[in-house]
Amino acid sequence: ASEGKDGASAAENTPPQVPQGKQGERSSVFYSAGQFFFEYLVVVSLKKMPDGHYEPKITYQFPKRENLLKGQKEEEERLLQAIPLFCFPDGNNWAPLTEFTSETFSFVLTNVDGSRKIGYCRRLLPSGRGVRLPEVFCIISCLGCFGLFSKILDEVEKRRQISMAVIYPFMQGLRESPFPAPGKTVTIKSFIPESGTELIELTRPVDAHLEHVEFQALLQRLSPHLILHIFASAMLERRLIFLAEELSVLSQCIHAVAALLYPFTWAHTYIPVLPECLLDTVCCPTPFMVGIQMRHLQRVLEQPMEEALIVDLCEGKIIRAVGDEEEILPGKLQNEMLISLNRHNNNNNVHTSEQVNALVSEAFVQFFVRLVGHYGSHIKWGRSGSGSFQERAFCKAVASKSCRRLLKKFVKTNMFSLFIEEAEKSRIPQEGNG
């Protein structure tokens, strides 16, 4: 749900800031094949404190990093301190259990340079008898591919029910395998006692910008009308708060909302699962997109925050709005997108999730093509090969008044500025039709 060129190198050398983004930040989603699948696998367990409450702590880390330089050590320590908070963002109200349905979710950590690392989590109850506490297996990676990492976590969970010892060789094999190119498959050999050697195939989706996305999750919970209100608010870089009880719902839906902005990138604070102790993030005067558990709704509403769109993903409704959401998008373009989204909604049981992703993404990409697809014709190219964007002429070139009104606001956003900066550097004028 974000854009960039080299996800690994920038993230490797910059201390993670937890969890704030900053203006102008870039993050990574298009990765070259051959990178490491992941940086770390950590296990976060709940430890009982003297006062009786439970605190999440890292109890296992693979690989162990040694011979790190001082700056790298500091980065690693900051990263490892942040992870438990995001693996158990729901605070300390845990007690030993006999049954627990495992859940998969993800979180994002933003570096000072704006690149992002993703934590893919599987929260599960270890096998055994009697009451016990859930634990989280968390894979930290610069690579955005939720489907692929969910499958890896399936394998981790299967091995956890046998023994922690059989997880290590599987993750070692994964670490030694190159990350596949879009549409390609990598095969991992893995030995399990009593089952023998297994071949696990991990295939990367063909469309790289949709591999961290599940639009179905959004369509199942919100009406097309509401999705367009949210999209319009995100487009103008407003403050967005999403509420749900399940961490998996929060992370899936927020990644989907951010992906609607493609080929643009949400360039502000982005926290799909906000830990309880960071709830005052909603008081930030700058744009943000955050997910909060429903149990904290009252505390959120009591915060002295500025105008924000608050969306209830459980009930499929807006709890608080700015009030102009219906008027942001030009009527004709809005109707075209509504027809498209309704068609996908009606055929939900027909399409695979990949087809739904492609169809929904296409509707929003076409919206941007219609609105800003002529940008390449308004970059003036100098002899040196660098370009200069002619903003005024670009806006005036649009005949429709409602489109021009939106365009004048959109060109002032961070995401449009970053997009144009890249275009101005490209040296090759873009095609006028986008």
Side-chain angles (χ1 to χ4, degrees), residues 214-252:
E214 196 61 72
F215 285 129
Q216 202 105 323
L218 211 53
L219 290 166
Q220 284 166 354
R221 286 169 181 85
L222 300 173
S223 70
H225 237 100
L226 285 190
I227 291 171
L228 289 186
H229 287 181
I230 293 162
F231 168 71
S233 301
M235 209 183 140
L236 296 185
E237 296 184 330
R238 293 180 171 181
R239 287 170 286 278
L240 292 102
I241 298 169
F242 295 87
L243 295 155
E245 200 48 55
E246 293 172 37
L247 304 182
S248 54
V249 171
L250 284 174
S251 60
Q252 278 183 340

Side-chain angles (χ1 to χ4, degrees), residues 2 19-27 108 110 114 116 233-240 258 261 265-272 285-290 412-416 418:
S2 39
Q20 292 286 65
K22 64 185 178 67
Q23 284 215 327
E25 72 181 18
R26 300 307 300 264
S27 55
V108 175
T110 303
R116 288 168 177 162
S233 301
M235 209 183 140
L236 296 185
E237 296 184 330
R238 293 180 171 181
R239 287 170 286 278
L240 292 102
L261 298 168
T265 305
W266 180 262
H268 298 277
T269 300
Y270 179 72
I271 314 172
T286 52
F288 57 74
M289 199 184 290
V290 300
K412 301 300 180 193
T413 63
N414 236 20
M415 70 178 92
F416 185 80
L418 290 169

Side-chain angles (χ1 to χ4, degrees), residues 218 224-240 242 257-258 260-261 266 287 289 309 311 318 322-331 333-334 337 341 364 367-368 371 406-407 409-410 413 415:
L218 211 53
H225 237 100
L226 285 190
I227 291 171
L228 289 186
H229 287 181
I230 293 162
F231 168 71
S233 301
M235 209 183 140
L236 296 185
E237 296 184 330
R238 293 180 171 181
R239 287 170 286 278
L240 292 102
F242 295 87
V257 168
L260 295 176
L261 298 168
W266 180 262
M289 199 184 290
L309 184 72
V311 182
I318 287 175
V322 174
D324 64 348
E325 287 82 3
E326 186 68 53
E327 286 88 51
I328 296 171
L329 301 178
L333 294 182
Q334 182 162 288
M337 285 201 288
L341 287 177
F364 286 87
F367 167 83
F368 282 122
L371 188 71
L406 174 59
L407 205 51
K409 292 177 183 174
F410 187 54
T413 63
M415 70 178 92

Side-chain angles (χ1 to χ4, degrees), residues 162-396:
I162 302 165
S163 156
M164 282 290 285
V166 293
I167 295 173
Y168 172 85
F170 168 66
M171 294 307 286
Q172 181 64 41
L174 188 65
R175 196 166 167 75
E176 289 166 1
S177 302
F179 191 64
K184 301 297 180 189
T185 299
V186 68
T187 303
I188 315 287
K189 279 186 180 178
S190 178
F191 177 78
I192 297 184
E194 296 179 23
S195 300
T197 301
E198 284 188 2
L199 295 177
I200 297 143
E201 291 193 340
L202 298 168
T203 304
R204 196 172 163 200
V206 175
D207 200 339
H209 90 268
L210 293 175
E211 58 190 345
H212 199 61
V213 183
E214 196 61 72
F215 285 129
Q216 202 105 323
L218 211 53
L219 290 166
Q220 284 166 354
R221 286 169 181 85
L222 300 173
S223 70
H225 237 100
L226 285 190
I227 291 171
L228 289 186
H229 287 181
I230 293 162
F231 168 71
S233 301
M235 209 183 140
L236 296 185
E237 296 184 330
R238 293 180 171 181
R239 287 170 286 278
L240 292 102
I241 298 169
F242 295 87
L243 295 155
E245 200 48 55
E246 293 172 37
L247 304 182
S248 54
V249 171
L250 284 174
S251 60
Q252 278 183 340
C253 288
I254 294 181
H255 288 311
V257 168
L260 295 176
L261 298 168
Y262 179 83
F264 300 93
T265 305
W266 180 262
H268 298 277
T269 300
Y270 179 72
I271 314 172
V273 177
L274 186 71
E276 183 183 9
C277 60
L278 296 173
L279 282 181
D280 61 358
T281 299
V282 301
C283 300
C284 288
T286 52
F288 57 74
M289 199 184 290
V290 300
I292 295 172
Q293 284 185 293
M294 186 57 80
R295 69 186 75 170
H296 304 309
L297 172 60
Q298 204 46 48
R299 279 179 61 190
V300 169
L301 294 176
E302 287 165 2
Q303 298 287 333
M305 62 178 149
E306 298 188 25
E307 282 186 326
L309 184 72
I310 304 179
V311 182
D312 179 345
L313 293 168
C314 302
E315 297 286 329
K317 64 182 184 182
I318 287 175
I319 293 175
R320 189 182 285 180
V322 174
D324 64 348
E325 287 82 3
E326 186 68 53
E327 286 88 51
I328 296 171
L329 301 178
K332 191 180 174 193
L333 294 182
Q334 182 162 288
N335 287 337
E336 284 174 9
M337 285 201 288
L338 273 176
I339 290 166
S340 191
L341 287 177
N342 276 317
R343 189 167 65 242
H344 305 150
N345 246 1
N346 297 337
N347 295 338
N348 254 351
N349 57 342
V350 177
H351 297 303
T352 65
S353 69
E354 286 81 11
Q355 287 172 317
V356 171
N357 282 350
L359 290 166
V360 172
S361 179
E362 179 63 17
F364 286 87
V365 168
Q366 282 306 314
F367 167 83
F368 282 122
V369 168
R370 297 277 297 278
L371 188 71
V372 302
H374 60 296
Y375 75 92
S377 310
H378 296 278
I379 297 177
K380 199 173 180 181
W381 296 92
R383 287 182 182 174
S384 64
S386 63
S388 172
F389 180 61
Q390 312 296 299
E391 184 184 300
R392 208 159 157 222
F394 168 72
C395 291
K396 279 179 79 174

